[in-house]
């Protein structure tokens, strides 16, 4: 069945989530599964939270005679017939081999690779519904930006998923504004994947179907930023499948317009996507003062150093400084976010308009919330508890400005090296 | 004389050059010598290439009764009376203790610290005139951006100065648009200084004036990018002076609005200021296509990696990757240059207007030349000779685009990792 492949089975891939980034990732994954039949099943499932949608008469898709245009229809139906997610990624044609599926459980059936791409507040509920319905040896990749921070520590969404489902989950993050990626404008991303060394060492299952193999369980220890260990029992990928390694993941995500680098550092890649938002606020503040390009670059550089320090201090066993300084999930994502991202813009406007940032948030974001202000406060609470506020003067300055305890003009003196 | 200082002598500082950056640096140096009488003579000389200037009637400085406003006057005279370089740094007040001096030889008399800040084409002539007239134990800092590249190798301006004058010369570079620094808008810079370990080990001169001490000469070996060694005999700084070290240099340049980090890596700091211009062209090209922020950040990231590779390959004995990834002279200067620097802008316009970049250069730069196009060609000639063009796909792509051998749209495929 697998042509020239030495493996008798192929990976089936499901993308869980169908917002603008979820739909963009699904498009690329489906392009790649079609291009690599030796590794992947062609059809890719995309789980869609079902909604009723009416195609308006003004739409280019409106056909009076079409049953799809008679009142409200299921979003999945529309996506599968029009090959377009008209609600969350309009005007982008999705591949024929991408199938929108409204059933979470059905969408993951027989899938050995699960790509998570949904708002972080839904992770827990989705994992609860999936539990017991996925292949026990499946592997995950989380495209969910950011991390969870509270006073006790920092936890990665990939780890939350991994622990809840009992699987290994890596991460994908980078300088990826979804609308640009969907239009096939050139960009890069970073995939991080570093499962315990188990699959390759595990003896080949001797009998039965792969899912019935109960041998070769491996304990995978998650260590969070507080140093707490939690153990997840992992099953090896059956040897009938091509190994899920850096090369396979690059093949799954890389496109001529979407260049992928695969690294080991899951924590660094995840932290990059969260901490950059604090730095983007600082860059927006000084830009709002009209201080020019030197000042903005200086704040970004100081912020990048604090990102490196945070990662290598609290995830010293896994984080590599280079993830921040040379990967797309680090320096490039920081640059994009400080060019015109929403955290940068709202901070800038708050200075220009002399308004609290919460006011600007209301004016500009149409009910959506800024990630950076939340992360800045959470990270500050965590650092305060560790007694390390002073070691992160820019992060601390942003928090002080948000609380009205410091002025934007104070940033240079607050971050001045002693 | 030196108050509480344990040293009987203080450093006299001269800035050689008085363009907009030279005048800005002179201003800060003079502010610092005044603030630190324990280390420095208060008065700072700034060598000015003498010109005749007429203060126009429309100037705020015009006073009908003033002799300074009677026809053409010497620029040095005007600077010293008005405390403003009305030609090259208008509207910025210079400190009273900064003295414009039209005589190169007189300006460096008794100066133990020489700060070079002039267009690179004048280095050789100026050094020829200075030879034999400087203190033999003087130390230099070059604020001249860039490096000299030809087929044979890369040489640093700081080394050219050091060799010609027989002194040690460090470098200063960073994300420093002069007009912003002059207005005291916050920025950062990097000073690089790594003289041979001689001054501290040298025995204290026993007799005579410091300049007559012929003992303790130390051979300082310069190794250029081709691996050629050239030797400069250096004299130690007499022990009557405070040692010229990282701390003293920080004191000389650091201001509340101009934060200084001092590092050892002179080659890295110098290369950063040159190679970033090639990357800025690439960033301008993709921005000109309207490819968005992802693409621009991707090109900058790939360029940063090639800068690191170039530095650590051809200056492996001295260059530290971190100079590029975490210092102002590296990543921050790159960010500033790709935000609105002239190389970025001209490349962007050349795509938008469908014109060769030389045409845009003529339209936009009023007779000035782009540094990036020259550096891109020189670096390419050097890499070609080394047989290493393929190892630097972005640098090579920029050169190919400049030569009309590739299209801007080809950049993603030209830099796609294999």
């Amino acid at each position: 069945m697998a042509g020239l492949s030495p493996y008798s089975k192929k990976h089936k891939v499901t993308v869980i989530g169908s917002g603008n980034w979820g739909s963009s990732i699904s498009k690329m994954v489906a392009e790649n599964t079609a291009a690599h039949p030796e590794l992947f099943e062609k059809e890719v499932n995309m789980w869609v939270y079902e909604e009723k949608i009416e195609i308006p008469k003004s739409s280019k898709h409106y056909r009076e005679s079409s049953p799809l245009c008679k009142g409200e229809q299921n979003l999945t139906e529309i996506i599968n017939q029009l090959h377009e997610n008209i609600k969350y990624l309009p005007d982008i044609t999705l591949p024929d081999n991408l199938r929108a599926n409204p059933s979470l459980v059905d969408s993951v059936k027989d899938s050995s690779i699960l790509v998570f791409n949904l708002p972080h507040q839904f992770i827990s509920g989705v994992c609860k519904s999936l539990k017991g319905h996925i292949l026990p040896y499946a592997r995950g990749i989380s495209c969910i930006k950011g991390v969870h921070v509270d006073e006790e520590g920092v936890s990665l969404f990939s780890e939350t998923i991994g622990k809840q489902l009992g699987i290994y989950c890596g991460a994908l993050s980078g300088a990826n504004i979804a609308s640009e990626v969907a239009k096939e404008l050139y960009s890069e991303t970073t995939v991080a994947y570093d499962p315990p060394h188990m699959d390759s060492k595990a003896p080949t299952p001797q009998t039965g179907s792969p899912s019935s193999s109960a041998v070769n369980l491996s304990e995978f220890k998650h260590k969070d930023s507080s140093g707490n260990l939690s153990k997840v029992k992992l099953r090896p990928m059956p040897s009938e499948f091509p190994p899920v390694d850096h090369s396979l993941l690059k093949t799954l995500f890389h496109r001529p317009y979407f260049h992928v680098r695969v690294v080991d550092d899951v924590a660094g890649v995840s932290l990059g996507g969260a901490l950059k938002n604090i730095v983007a606020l600082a860059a927006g503040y000084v830009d709002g003062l009209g201080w020019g390009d030197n000042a903005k670059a200086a704040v970004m550089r100081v912020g990048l150093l604090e990102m490196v320090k945070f990662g290598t201090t609290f995830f010293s066993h896994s984080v590599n400084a280079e993830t921040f300084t040379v990967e797309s999930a680090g320096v490039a994502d920081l640059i994009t976010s400080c060019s015109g991202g929403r955290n940068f813009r709202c901070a800038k406007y708050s200075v220009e308009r002399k308004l609290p940032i919460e006011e600007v948030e209301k004016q500009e974001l149409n009910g959506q919330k800024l990630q950076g202000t939340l992360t800045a406060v959470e990270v500050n609470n965590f650092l305060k508890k560790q007694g390390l506020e002073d070691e992160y003067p820019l992060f601390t300055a942003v928090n002080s400005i948000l609380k009205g305890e410091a002025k934007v003009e104070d940033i240079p003196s607050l971050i001045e090296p002693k």
Side-chain angles (χ1 to χ4, degrees), chain A:
Chain A
M1 298 291 281
L4 293 170
S5 169
Y7 301 99
S8 61
K9 288 183 171 278
K10 304 173 183 188
H11 291 288
K12 187 161 178 237
V13 186
T14 296
V15 179
I16 296 160
S18 55
N20 66 342
W21 187 219
S23 301
S24 304
I25 282 281
S26 298
K27 170 179 174 291
M28 296 189 288
V29 163
E31 286 167 357
N32 281 327
T33 59
H36 295 281
E38 74 285 6
L39 297 172
F40 304 108
E41 300 285 346
K42 186 171 179 185
E43 186 171 271
V44 171
N45 269 338
M46 172 171 77
W47 174 65
V48 176
Y49 181 83
E50 192 67 286
E51 299 178 52
K52 292 283 184 186
I53 300 283
E54 186 170 338
I55 298 176
K57 286 194 176 166
S58 58
S59 164
K60 65 176 179 184
H61 296 294
Y62 187 80
R63 306 278 177 279
E64 206 178 327
S65 57
S66 164
L68 207 58
C69 300
K70 303 259 180 287
E72 290 192 324
Q73 301 293 333
N74 286 333
L75 178 55
T76 51
E77 204 73 36
I78 293 173
I79 294 174
N80 286 331
Q81 289 203 32
L82 299 179
H83 301 295
E84 183 181 318
N85 186 338
I86 64 165
K87 177 146 189 196
Y88 296 106
L89 195 64
D91 300 322
I92 301 293
T93 303
L94 300 173
D96 294 353
N97 59 318
L98 179 68
R99 199 170 74 85
N101 190 328
S103 160
L104 195 50
V105 168
D106 187 62
S107 75
V108 298
K109 187 165 178 286
D110 298 331
S111 286
S112 48
I113 298 181
L114 307 174
V115 179
F116 294 84
N117 204 326
L118 68 173
H120 61 83
Q121 59 271 28
F122 301 136
I123 295 173
S124 203
V126 162
C127 286
K128 214 169 279 175
S129 306
L130 287 176
K131 184 101 191 162
H133 299 283
I134 62 168
L135 290 182
Y137 51 80
R139 297 290 179 259
I141 293 288
S142 161
C143 306
I144 304 159
K145 274 263 167 112
V147 297
H148 175 75
V149 191
D150 61 25
E151 280 191 19
E152 301 310 317
V154 181
S155 57
L156 313 179
F157 295 138
S158 55
E159 285 188 351
T160 308
I161 293 167
K163 278 188 232 176
Q164 277 201 252
L165 296 179
I167 64 173
Y168 178 79
C169 186
L172 179 152
S173 183
N176 301 139
I177 298 166
S179 56
E180 296 181 6
V181 175
K183 284 181 207 143
E184 305 191 358
L185 297 172
Y186 168 57
S187 69
E188 294 186 312
T189 203
T190 314
V191 171
Y193 191 79
D194 186 29
H197 296 289
M198 167 190 64
D199 292 6
S200 55
K201 281 186 295 183
T204 309
Q206 299 301 310
T207 55
S209 73
S211 60
S212 74
S213 161
V215 295
N216 306 324
L217 285 183
S218 174
E219 274 192 351
F220 177 52
K221 291 171 185 163
H222 284 281
K223 198 173 182 184
D224 67 20
S225 62
S226 326
N228 297 322
L229 277 177
S230 68
K231 294 172 190 168
V232 175
K233 287 192 190 293
L234 287 187
R235 279 174 201 256
M237 178 69 61
S239 59
E240 292 90 339
F241 286 93
V244 180
D245 55 15
H246 284 196
S247 161
L248 183 123
L249 290 171
K250 181 164 174 177
T251 307
L252 182 59
F253 292 107
H254 190 90
R255 299 294 299 152
Y257 56 87
F258 189 68
H259 290 190
V260 171
R261 281 168 52 115
V262 193
V263 301
D264 284 339
D265 180 7
V266 179
V269 162
S270 307
L271 284 169
L275 299 176
K276 56 138 198 186
N277 289 327
I278 307 178
V279 186
L281 290 173
Y285 285 142
V286 302
D287 210 51
L289 289 175
W291 280 5
D293 287 337
N294 293 349
K296 187 174 156 186
V299 159
M300 289 167 69
R301 193 200 68 81
V302 171
L304 187 59
L305 276 187
E306 293 191 12
M307 289 166 65
V308 169
K309 186 171 184 173
F310 191 95
T312 53
T313 300
F314 300 114
F315 290 85
S316 59
H317 53 293
S318 65
V319 165
N320 185 338
E322 292 200 347
T323 305
F324 300 105
T325 59
V326 308
E327 297 301 340
S328 179
V331 62
D333 195 15
L334 177 68
I335 290 170
T336 302
S337 301
C338 293
S339 294
R342 55 171 62 169
N343 292 287
F344 173 80
R345 277 186 294 118
C346 287
K348 182 177 156 94
Y349 297 156
S350 81
V351 174
E352 289 175 349
R353 300 174 192 170
K354 301 190 187 355
L355 284 176
I357 199 162
E358 300 79 32
E359 277 306 309
V360 178
E361 198 174 10
K362 279 182 209 155
Q363 289 174 6
E364 296 289 321
L365 296 186
N366 199 19
Q368 289 194 284
K369 285 287 175 193
L370 279 183
Q371 208 56 47
T373 50
L374 190 67
T375 306
V377 172
E378 287 174 350
V379 164
N380 186 259
N381 290 340
F382 169 70
L383 289 174
K384 205 175 276 164
K385 179 124 187 204
Q386 307 274 327
L388 291 173
E389 264 188 304
D390 293 349
E391 305 267 316
Y392 297 83
L394 186 71
F395 291 176
T396 302
V398 170
N399 182 66
S400 302
I401 292 165
L402 288 171
K403 291 202 168 139
E405 293 163 2
K407 285 184 304 184
V408 174
E409 290 83 351
D410 298 336
I411 289 178
S413 64
L414 292 171
I415 66 178
E416 183 159 18
K418 299 298 173 278

